[in-house]
Amino acid sequence: MNLTDYVKQVSLEDFGRPFIHQAQWNSRLRSTGGRFFPKNGHLDFNPKVYQELGLDVFRKIVRHELCHYHLYFQGKGYQHKDRDFKELLKAVDGLRFVPSLTNSHSKPLILYRCQSCQQSYHRKRRIDTKRYRCGVCRGKLLLINQPED
């Protein structure tokens, strides 16, 4: 699929306006489906969204980025907080947030528990239990589970 041609097609069909810049894949995007660059007007898209969630979800992501794009060049509020953006996104049925992707790089959580008040702490990184204490009662922390690295 030629990404720029697809974005041009979506722009004309859903917005009735042309997309005259470039769209490209960016595999470094992790937590977002796409990005709009006001400086030069190009769009970046996460290829994993298309691969894992399919064309229907990807089209809604394209609509989201095109909302930023068209509002910016019309001189209207193009940021997430702006009313113009929220209204246009709703009108074209774009996604506000990307559904979560499978992330093979995420670390398993380590569980610590306070010996005094039984408060639980879930952490991605190890804690030095000799140095740190419970934030509730200042009790001693105990390592409950250690995931295998």
Side-chain angles (χ1 to χ4, degrees), residues 46-137:
N46 186 344
K48 286 186 179 179
V49 171
Y50 176 65
Q51 294 162 358
E52 293 182 18
L53 302 176
L55 189 61
D56 291 337
V57 173
F58 182 68
R59 185 176 181 111
K60 291 183 180 191
I61 303 289
V62 171
R63 289 178 188 150
H64 176 106
E65 297 308 321
L66 284 172
C67 286
H68 291 297
Y69 175 85
H70 289 303
L71 289 170
Y72 177 79
F73 288 110
Q74 290 174 7
K76 296 181 178 179
Y78 67 97
Q79 296 178 341
H80 291 124
K81 64 183 178 181
D82 297 323
R83 177 179 284 138
D84 292 330
F85 177 81
K86 291 177 183 177
E87 289 173 355
L88 183 59
L89 187 66
K90 190 173 185 178
V92 297
D93 189 32
L95 278 181
R96 178 69 174 89
F97 299 103
V98 178
S100 60
L101 299 169
T102 58
N103 189 357
S104 60
H105 298 294
S106 65
K107 291 184 176 182
L109 293 177
I110 302 171
L111 178 63
Y112 295 91
R113 183 165 288 129
C114 174
Q115 289 180 338
S116 301
C117 69
Q118 304 304 311
Q119 172 71 32
S120 295
Y121 296 94
H122 298 274
R123 298 290 181 265
K124 289 185 178 180
R125 291 184 171 183
R126 289 189 56 117
I127 297 173
D128 183 0
T129 56
K130 295 178 184 127
R131 183 175 175 191
Y132 293 99
R133 298 292 198 126
C134 174
V136 176
C137 72

